[in-house]
Structure formats: C-alpha cells, structure tokens
Amino acid sequence: MKKVLPILFIAILNICIFGQTSSTVLDLSNYGVSIEPDKRLITVLATLEAAGIETTLSEQGEEFRKTLQKDLAEVSPDLRVKLKIFVNQYAKRFAQKYRVNLANQESNETIRKETLDDFDKFFAKYTSGNLTAEEKKLYSKKYDSFINQIKSPFISMAYSLSPAPMLAEPERSLDLPDDLLEVLDYSVLVREFYASNGMAAKIDSYYKKNQEMGDEMRPAAREMVRSMLDYLHTRPELTFREKIKVETKKGKKNLTTYEIRERERVFKIVPEILASKGTINFLNIKDNYYAIIPPKTDLSSSEVRRGFLQFVLDPLVLKSSTEIAVHQKEIIKLLDKRRESGFPVTPDPFLAVSRSLVAAVDAREKQFRKEQIATAQARRIIPLQDNDKDKQKVVAELEKVKQAFNDEAILQLSESYEKGAVLAFYFAEQLRGIEDSGFDIAGSLNDWIISLKPIEETERLSQYTAEKKRAVAQREKERIIFVEETNLVENPLTAKLLAVDKLTEAKKFDEAEKQLKQLLNENIENPIESARIYYALGRAASRSAEGLKDLDEVNKRLLKAKVYYENVLNTATPKTDPGLISSTYFALGRIYEYSGQTEYAIKIYDAALRFGDIEGGAYKEAFEAKNSLIQKKPQ
C-alpha cells in the first residue's frame, strides 16, 4: 500500500474556497448553455469573405481563410459580383455615419481633416479590393472596428433566417431592428450561395471544423459557468412564462381568455473560425442569447462571461419591473446626464438596471476572487515569519494589494457607468454585503431595487478620482512591463534553467539539483526568479521518484518535491507568472493524488483551474485529472 504523506500545508486549501464545487462533471445543458456552430452564420460569413469584407482573424482563422478562398474560386463570378455590390452599397451608407463620428471626435480642424482623408483613402481602396498586403496590415489596426461594424447587421440577419438549407428570411415587421431590415434582402444572395454547386457540402465541412473548436472550449465554459453561479449562489431560469391573450368566437359572442405559455431560454456559445480576432459578437434575440467567438477566446475574462451574466440576470430584473417602474423617472435623469456628456447610452431604464447589475457582478466577482487568493497566500506566509515586524510587513503588503484590486474594480465600474450602467456602483455595494453569506441573489434583488435612491448615484464618478487615477497608472505600468518582457531577447536565467532541464530529462537528478540550488543562492533576493527555480527543483525531485520500487524512497522524494512546490507559492508575488502558479498547483495535486488523498487533490486541482486556460499553465491537465478522480469516486 502507498503511504500517506504528512499534511504540511493545509493552508493551501484556503485558495479553494471559491464556492461549493460539485462532485460531478458540470453538465452545461442543465444550465441552459450549449456550445455549437451555426450553419446560417457560417454561410453568411463565407459570403462576406466572397464579397471582399475581410477582418483580421486569429492564426487558425487566417489559415482557414486560405482554404476558404480556394473554395470560393469555384463560386459563380456573377454571384460574387452581386455579393460585392450589395455589401459595398451598404458599406458606403455606413461609412457616411462613421465619418460623422470620426469628425465629432476631433476638435482640431487640421487633425480632423487628416483623419477623414486617411479614412477616405482606406475606404476607397478597401471597397475596390486594391489594398496591398502591407496596406492591409497598416489599416487593420486602424479600421478593423469599422469593418466589424459593417459585418454586425449581416450577423444579426444570419440569426433571423430559418435553419439551412431553407435559410428563409422572416416576415418584415416593425419588431425587426432598422439595421437588420437594411440588409435583409441580402438573404436572397445567401440562399443562392448555399445552393450553388457543392457549397452545401463545404459548409458541412466548415461546420465540423468549428465543432472541433467548440469541443476544445467546453472545459473552460464549464469552469466559467460554475464560477459565476457559485458567486451568485443561483441557477439560471430556463423557461419564460408568458400570459397570452386569446380571442375565440362562440356564436355571435367574442370570448377573451388567457393562456400561460412557456418559452425555453438558452445561452449559446458559437465557435466561429471566421470571427474577427479579439472580437466577440453578442446577440440577444428574445429568449436566445448568442456569443459568437473566435478561436482561443478566454471565456473567463471575455464578453462571453458578461453575456452569460446577462442571460442569468435578465429574468431576475424582469421580475422586479414593478419596483423599477417606481424609480423610472429618476433613472432616466441619470441616463440623460450621461447622454449630455456625449455618451450614446440606452434611454431604457429597465435595460439600464440590467446592464448595471451585470457590470457590478462582473467587477465584484473578479475582485472577490483576487482578494481570496491574496488572503490565502498571506495566511500561508505569515506563520513562516520570524517576528511580528515581518508578519506586519506581510499584512501591509496584503492591504496594498487589496487596495490595487479595489482601484481596478472602481475603474471598471466607472467605465461601465459612463456607458450607461448608472447603477453599477450601487449594485456593487449590495453584492459586497452578501458575497460570503451564500444567499441567492434572486432573493435579494427585489429588496435592493426597493431600497434604491437614484439621486444618490448622480456624483459617483467624482467620488473616486484618486482610486481611478491609481488604477489607470497601474494599467499603464503593467502595459509597459508586458511590452518590456515580450521584447526581451533572452533572460539569462531562462537559458540556465533550460540547460538544467536537459540534465533532469537525462535523469542526472543529483547534478540538476546541485546546479539549481546554486542558481537559487544567486537569485534568492529575487522572488520572481526564485519561484521559477523552486518549481524546477520540485520537478526534478518528483521526476527522480519515477520508476523506484522502494516506497519509502518514493515518498521521501515526493515529500521533497512537495516542499519545493510549496516554496513556489510562498515566494509568489502579484507579479509572479500565473502560469507557473497554475502548474505548481497541478503538480501538488498529483502528489496528493498519488498519496491517496483524493479530496485534497480535487480541491488543489480546482485551485489550478481558477487561473483559467492561460499560457504556461496546467488548465487542461488539471481538468482531466480532476474529472478522472471524480469518476473513480464511489457514488
């Protein structure tokens, strides 16, 4: 039998208290979430490519574009001309509105003229298809957003069509948005494109490629859903009940009755390889919520997360519509003030409440998680200090870090407030009061609305000048550090660690440990570099246990590895590579799994998962390891 290793770092579990994690694999369908491509969207985006409307794609997307262009060469030239004419005509109409916005953004007449001339030059070349490869790179940085805005109504149109192969457009009505109505006739060309020789089969193959991309996103989607619902302590409402007036005739009399009808609510993550790089299109069509995402999207920190929050929170806000109506006039005054400041905000007070709640949850949940991690790290480090003075230094550092988290949250709330989420600060304060209580937000929201005093939200932006200033400075500092690090030709320590890694791979463990300890002595004052060395020591120690038959020796080496991995966490600072910390938690989870402490291993794998699928991390490995343990547990 395997011997159980001593538990020397119970404090590690403090980082795993992010909510009551289920002991079964989360089934997205139970929460109204699905991940699947859409042939309507694939077809429409392919037609836009045929029409020459190209945005910057991800690396996978650019590679796929080469295949697509070969396939499009087989499309009728006449059809391609019709597609291009229709899209260019719409683009010209839209360009006039875009130019007006550009002009309004610049008060200096000379700069305004230069800006408009540059745009006109770009647009003329773009619509004629005469941009060189170098010009495409140059203009993509400036005008990708413009091209994305051109694509937006066509994407909405795709979701108004019936499923392939019919792709029938809806009946025209006042309920349809103006921008959708403006491009609805394009559906005729979409059907012609889909029905052209061999294109339906090609669309099927594109669908499968997007489906594979969606399968890769599934683990991250599960963690995003789990994290948000753990924070809110609620479940999404998957049906909407509506009272419908029904008129019937009985003899000469008209009878009026009412029926209760239920509609299904769904949140669909739509993987799309032709989606613009870094751009997420979010659509809300009645009870259907769509998040259209490009490859490699980080679901934990993207607009997908906010879209899911909207899906969860919209029906809760709707239930409080009567209470919101009481404050309607005051909320409209807040919105009018934002509009007077030059921000194009919604005039709808109910929508403003919903968006404010989403913005508040988004900002507070991030802050809450970060503070949990920082506090857990401090609790682990404080007992290791030799005297009260050093312990107080750790406490002071923790408070400093928490202040930075709070500053960033305030800046995020301010940005949302400016865009029309005028109650974001109010809801953030309410959330702060129930985060640790476990109360379902659905049971609290109505009371929050009743207690609301919109007039007190008028001066929110001026209340936090110092916090916003610090947060902006920190963002700029982090941006500069990132640029410096990404431009670094070679880190000397990296080269040395790579050399030692070769010794580890060659199973020369004693020599590897000797060189790593020497490197540790040289870098002991640098916590970032020390963490990397401790990780390498842990890896070498754990690798040295592989293949040994003496269980006492195996446990001895794994215990040494565990101590090294603990030191990675003990020396970690806010600047430590999160990928390294993620990998460290995974490695520790492996050790506990080996020792038979399944529950601890699962919780430590959860700690690795909380960092998301980041570069250098162990998200996928931790997810698979956790699921494997869960499946082995007796039911």
Side-chain angles (χ1 to χ4, degrees):
M1 290 181 63
K2 297 175 184 173
K3 293 186 177 180
V4 177
L5 295 173
I7 302 173
L8 300 179
F9 71 125
I10 295 295
I12 189 75
L13 298 180
N14 288 328
I15 203 153
C16 303
I17 58 172
F18 295 101
Q20 298 178 8
T21 306
S22 169
S23 61
T24 58
V25 178
L26 184 142
D27 185 346
L28 291 172
S29 63
N30 290 338
Y31 301 91
V33 180
S34 66
I35 305 177
E36 55 183 322
D38 196 299
K39 290 183 182 180
R40 298 171 297 178
L41 178 64
I42 295 169
T43 306
V44 169
L45 290 180
T47 65
L48 293 178
E49 291 278 327
I53 297 296
E54 297 180 1
T55 52
T56 303
L57 303 180
S58 65
E59 186 177 339
Q60 285 176 260
E62 293 291 353
E63 190 63 32
F64 174 73
R65 177 174 275 161
K66 297 174 185 176
T67 301
L68 178 61
Q69 291 298 338
K70 290 179 183 177
D71 293 343
L72 292 177
E74 301 175 15
V75 174
S76 160
D78 289 342
L79 176 56
R80 294 192 69 164
V81 169
K82 287 189 284 186
L83 291 167
K84 190 174 185 67
I85 289 173
F86 188 104
V87 173
N88 280 355
Q89 285 177 344
Y90 172 77
K92 287 175 183 176
R93 295 193 298 273
F94 180 77
Q96 293 304 312
K97 301 175 187 176
Y98 190 83
R99 284 183 95 261
V100 171
N101 289 334
L102 279 179
N104 291 337
Q105 289 171 16
E106 184 52 65
S107 57
N108 185 294
E109 186 175 340
T110 302
I111 297 176
R112 182 167 65 243
K113 185 177 184 305
E114 290 174 355
T115 301
L116 295 178
D117 287 347
D118 183 68
F119 173 74
D120 290 341
K121 180 181 176 183
F122 150 75
F123 186 69
K125 284 198 168 190
Y126 190 85
T127 52
S128 64
N130 292 330
L131 282 176
T132 65
E134 288 185 3
E135 286 174 329
K136 281 185 179 180
K137 289 181 180 179
L138 172 67
Y139 284 122
S140 67
K141 295 178 181 178
K142 293 182 179 180
Y143 299 119
D144 246 14
S145 63
F146 165 74
I147 305 167
N148 280 323
Q149 289 176 59
I150 290 176
K151 292 171 69 172
S152 182
F154 291 93
I155 291 172
S156 297
M157 185 212 65
Y159 281 97
S160 75
L161 304 178
S162 64
M166 297 302 294
L167 299 171
E169 72 268 22
E171 290 185 12
R172 294 174 184 272
S173 71
L174 294 175
D175 293 335
L176 296 177
D178 291 341
D179 59 348
L180 170 56
L181 286 169
E182 196 171 357
V183 300
L184 194 55
D185 286 339
Y186 190 71
S187 61
V188 176
L189 300 178
V190 172
R191 286 191 292 277
E192 185 179 344
F193 177 85
Y194 187 86
S196 59
N197 187 33
M199 188 50 66
K202 290 184 173 67
I203 296 296
D204 286 345
S205 68
Y206 305 159
Y207 180 91
K208 290 178 182 176
K209 195 167 189 67
N210 282 320
Q211 200 169 37
E212 291 170 3
M213 190 174 89
D215 290 340
E216 293 175 1
M217 295 175 176
R218 207 167 298 278
R222 289 193 185 105
E223 284 305 313
M224 183 271 290
V225 169
R226 188 194 302 276
S227 178
M228 298 315 303
L229 298 185
D230 277 352
Y231 177 76
L232 295 170
H233 303 290
T234 195
R235 292 179 67 92
E237 295 192 12
L238 304 186
T239 57
F240 176 73
R241 293 169 61 86
E242 185 177 24
K243 184 183 284 188
I244 303 293
K245 185 178 179 180
V246 180
E247 299 281 357
T248 57
K249 200 163 188 178
K250 189 173 183 181
K252 295 182 179 181
K253 293 183 178 180
N254 290 327
L255 298 179
T256 301
T257 57
Y258 292 89
E259 291 182 0
I260 300 295
R261 295 180 186 174
E262 287 192 351
R263 298 199 306 264
E264 183 183 6
R265 300 182 69 247
V266 293
F267 180 78
K268 295 186 178 182
I269 299 173
V270 185
E272 179 49 65
I273 201 165
L274 287 175
S276 303
K277 182 179 180 180
T279 301
I280 295 170
N281 289 92
F282 180 70
L283 301 175
N284 176 202
I285 305 172
K286 292 185 178 179
D287 300 300
N288 296 322
Y289 294 68
Y290 301 93
I292 301 160
I293 60 177
K296 305 297 182 183
T297 298
D298 180 4
L299 301 186
S300 65
S301 61
S302 70
E303 286 302 310
V304 178
R305 161 191 166 101
R306 288 181 76 125
F308 178 69
L309 283 175
Q310 187 175 326
F311 169 70
V312 174
L313 298 173
D314 276 356
L316 305 186
V317 172
L318 186 61
K319 287 181 178 179
S320 298
S321 57
T322 303
E323 288 73 20
I324 294 171
V326 174
H327 306 292
Q328 184 171 345
K329 291 182 179 178
E330 290 87 351
I331 296 172
I332 289 174
K333 287 180 182 178
L334 289 173
L335 295 171
D336 287 343
K337 189 170 183 180
R338 297 312 314 141
R339 201 174 296 106
E340 289 168 6
S341 300
F343 291 90
V345 303
T346 176
D348 186 340
F350 297 92
L351 192 60
V353 171
S354 176
R355 299 304 169 266
S356 296
L357 186 57
V358 168
V361 173
D362 187 37
R364 273 301 306 163
E365 193 268 347
K366 289 176 186 174
Q367 183 182 357
F368 181 67
R369 301 299 190 203
K370 289 176 183 177
E371 288 180 351
Q372 279 189 312
I373 293 173
T375 302
Q377 289 176 341
R379 286 174 179 169
R380 189 167 56 250
I381 294 170
I382 287 173
L384 303 176
Q385 306 308 303
D386 295 329
N387 53 63
D388 288 342
K389 184 178 179 181
D390 288 342
K391 291 179 180 180
Q392 287 303 316
K393 283 182 180 179
V394 176
V395 173
E397 180 65 21
L398 174 62
E399 292 307 311
K400 184 178 177 182
V401 167
K402 282 186 174 181
Q403 183 188 65
F405 295 156
N406 187 59
D407 291 346
E408 176 59 30
I410 285 173
L411 180 57
Q412 186 179 334
L413 290 168
S414 299
E415 291 167 344
S416 297
Y417 186 103
E418 289 177 341
K419 297 173 184 176
V422 290
L423 304 177
F425 283 100
Y426 172 76
F427 285 129
E429 289 173 352
Q430 308 312 307
L431 286 163
R432 188 188 290 271
I434 68 164
E435 284 167 337
D436 291 315
S437 67
F439 290 159
D440 186 336
I441 189 176
S444 305
L445 182 58
N446 209 49
D447 290 337
W448 296 351
I449 300 295
I450 292 171
S451 304
L452 174 65
K453 296 177 181 178
I455 194 171
E456 295 181 0
E457 305 306 307
T458 306
E459 304 300 327
R460 283 290 194 175
L461 292 178
S462 61
Q463 291 177 13
Y464 300 105
T465 305
E467 290 88 343
K468 288 189 291 182
K469 187 176 181 180
R470 288 196 300 264
V472 169
Q474 182 62 27
R475 279 187 185 179
E476 180 62 18
K477 181 180 177 182
E478 290 174 357
R479 184 189 68 80
I480 292 171
I481 290 172
F482 174 76
V483 171
E484 288 176 348
E485 288 181 351
T486 52
N487 288 337
L488 193 62
V489 176
E490 182 180 5
N491 181 330
L493 179 63
T494 299
K496 292 176 182 177
L497 288 176
L498 288 173
V500 174
D501 193 55
K502 292 180 180 178
L503 293 174
T504 301
E505 292 298 323
K507 298 186 178 182
K508 297 180 180 179
F509 301 116
D510 291 340
E511 180 61 24
E513 185 178 28
K514 180 181 177 182
Q515 291 191 24
L516 287 169
K517 286 184 175 180
Q518 184 177 339
L519 285 175
L520 185 62
N521 288 333
E522 295 170 0
N523 294 272
I524 197 66
E525 298 298 326
N526 187 329
I528 294 177
E529 304 294 36
S530 296
R532 297 174 66 195
I533 298 167
Y534 277 127
Y535 181 82
L537 281 164
R539 182 172 180 274
S542 60
R543 288 292 303 277
S544 71
E546 293 177 2
L548 296 181
K549 295 181 179 179
D550 186 338
L551 289 180
D552 285 334
E553 185 62 26
V554 169
N555 278 278
K556 179 181 177 182
R557 297 191 184 197
L558 289 181
L559 180 57
K560 182 191 287 188
K562 185 166 82 63
V563 171
Y564 283 137
Y565 287 134
E566 285 178 35
N567 284 332
V568 175
L569 303 175
N570 290 338
T571 57
T573 73
K575 294 182 180 179
T576 302
D577 176 16
L580 180 69
I581 299 176
S582 168
S583 295
T584 301
Y585 279 125
F586 170 69
L588 284 166
R590 277 297 198 205
I591 293 174
Y592 270 96
E593 181 179 344
Y594 171 83
S595 68
Q597 299 182 58
T598 301
E599 293 296 335
Y600 283 108
I602 289 174
K603 291 180 179 180
I604 296 168
Y605 287 144
D606 276 337
L609 291 171
R610 293 298 171 186
F611 287 87
D613 193 3
I614 55 176
E615 184 176 353
Y619 180 90
K620 292 180 181 177
E621 294 87 346
F623 187 86
E624 291 171 1
K626 174 187 171 182
N627 281 350
S628 177
L629 284 181
I630 288 172
Q631 290 168 10
K632 292 177 183 176
K633 287 175 64 177
Q635 299 298 318

